[in-house]
Amino acid sequence: MGNISRRHFLKTVSAASAVAASGLYATQAHAAAEFTLKFANNLPVTHPMNIRAKEMATKIGAESKGRIDMQIYPNSQLGTDTDMLSQIRAGAIDYFMLSPLILGTLVSDAQISGIGFAFKDYSQVWAAMDGDLGAYVRKQIAAKSTMFAFEKIWDNGYRQITNSSRPINKPEDLKGMKLRVPPSPLWTSMFRAFDAAPTSINFAEVYSALQTRIVEGQENPLAIISTAKLYEVQKYCSVTNHMWDGFWCLGNKKSFEKLPKDLQDIVTRNVNAAGMLQRVDTKALNDSLVADMKTKGLQFNDTSNEAFRTKLRSAGFYADWHKKFGEEAWAVLEKYTGKLV
């Protein structure tokens, strides 16, 4: 697996920021483009997702000889995750990056990869998501919605808990804590199992909710905590690695089917290639950020996963979700994670 130097990353971020400052973060419009495609997401322009998406859009334009103009709309420009999910289902957006867990509000099986403390490390994650678990989820998305998911899921990273009240060292430290979670039943049930008080808030509103103390804390991978500057409104970061999260690149079926086969191939190849590069970038960035955010005043502490996993077992979390997902889906998950219940 490759790596990116911090200097290279910051240089790339600077370039991305300059583009963003000039207005819409999109490819140079081709006057003669046959297809203008909207690619939307909720992350800042400086996140590896948008840096790689910009490169991807440029390559798609070049390889299609200007027939496709793919425009990138980052940073919730087209609305909240909930808004954009409605738009891609209706065909108003062509491509949309979404966490499997939020997609689970529409296609329940999509969220199975987010089961708390399931994957021990990235080798398990990629074996599952590039293997039978990812294939199972993509099949469910295609069968139960107007969308499909590209083969290679992009990386968000392992999620950590930040808050403004106290370090989280053990499950009991979460008791009563008002914690922002994305709009997903799986997230809500997991933190309720820890006796926290989870509140669903769309990502676009997280910074202000933390700033005004509507909630005490939130949970996200370090790359998002950094690029969204959540360290400005949080004091503690507990490295819990409580779930791995990614982004399915979703496409609207009708929009994609309008493309001739050669253009479908160009889009598919470049989306998957960009996702593989973004995985490397995101892991490198997440790995580098503890030292960086310590200098910005965020206090870090490590935790023991086993205490949290034991609490979830005793609260019936795994048994409940095993029943909800059913035997087939759960068996595919445990093929990679080992027994969870």
Side-chain angles (χ1 to χ4, degrees), residues 305-335:
N305 283 2
E306 200 48 51
F308 289 88
R309 194 177 285 120
T310 299
K311 173 67 173 173
L312 289 182
R313 283 199 190 100
S314 65
F317 173 81
Y318 294 122
D320 288 348
W321 281 97
H322 182 176
K323 191 181 298 181
K324 287 176 185 173
F325 285 123
E327 292 300 330
E328 182 186 3
W330 198 261
V332 180
L333 173 67
E334 288 191 332
K335 172 181 175 180

Side-chain angles (χ1 to χ4, degrees), residues 19-178:
V19 173
S22 66
L24 179 66
Y25 189 51
T27 61
Q28 184 66 38
H30 297 284
E34 292 176 49
F35 302 95
T36 299
L37 304 174
K38 291 182 178 179
F39 178 106
N41 63 78
N42 68 5
L43 292 185
V45 294
T46 53
H47 191 279
M49 175 196 287
N50 281 309
I51 292 169
R52 291 301 183 180
K54 181 71 170 78
E55 294 175 356
M56 172 190 78
T58 301
K59 287 179 181 177
I60 289 171
E63 289 181 27
S64 69
K65 297 181 169 58
R67 294 171 68 194
I68 296 177
D69 176 23
M70 181 175 279
Q71 300 183 344
I72 311 298
Y73 293 83
N75 208 29
S76 302
Q77 284 183 1
L78 300 184
T80 65
D81 282 340
T82 310
D83 296 333
M84 289 188 282
L85 183 56
S86 296
Q87 289 175 61
I88 189 171
R89 291 172 69 193
I93 290 173
D94 303 286
Y95 304 100
F96 175 40
M97 303 297 286
L98 188 65
S99 163
L101 287 99
I102 301 176
L103 182 57
T105 60
L106 179 67
V107 181
S108 181
D109 284 344
Q111 61 192 322
I112 193 167
S113 57
I115 288 289
F117 298 96
F119 296 113
K120 293 181 177 65
D121 53 38
Y122 267 110
S123 64
Q124 285 190 348
V125 168
W126 299 134
M129 301 314 293
D130 289 339
D132 291 347
L133 188 64
Y136 177 84
V137 169
R138 292 195 304 277
K139 184 178 177 182
Q140 303 306 309
I141 294 168
K144 297 176 180 178
S145 73
T146 58
M147 304 173 295
F148 70 95
F150 287 90
E151 183 182 5
K152 297 298 184 183
I153 192 169
W154 297 36
D155 190 23
N156 193 359
Y158 278 93
R159 301 180 75 94
Q160 321 300 351
I161 299 172
T162 69
N163 77 94
S164 54
S165 303
R166 57 186 177 273
I168 306 300
N169 290 297
K170 54 190 185 301
E172 292 75 19
D173 294 330
L174 283 165
K175 188 170 184 177
M177 181 171 285
K178 292 174 68 177

Side-chain angles (χ1 to χ4, degrees), residues 34-35 37 67-68 95 254-265 267:
E34 292 176 49
F35 302 95
L37 304 174
R67 294 171 68 194
I68 296 177
Y95 304 100
K254 286 184 179 178
S255 168
F256 190 72
E257 286 163 3
K258 286 177 184 174
L259 298 177
K261 179 67 167 60
D262 62 325
L263 296 187
Q264 289 181 2
D265 291 345
V267 170

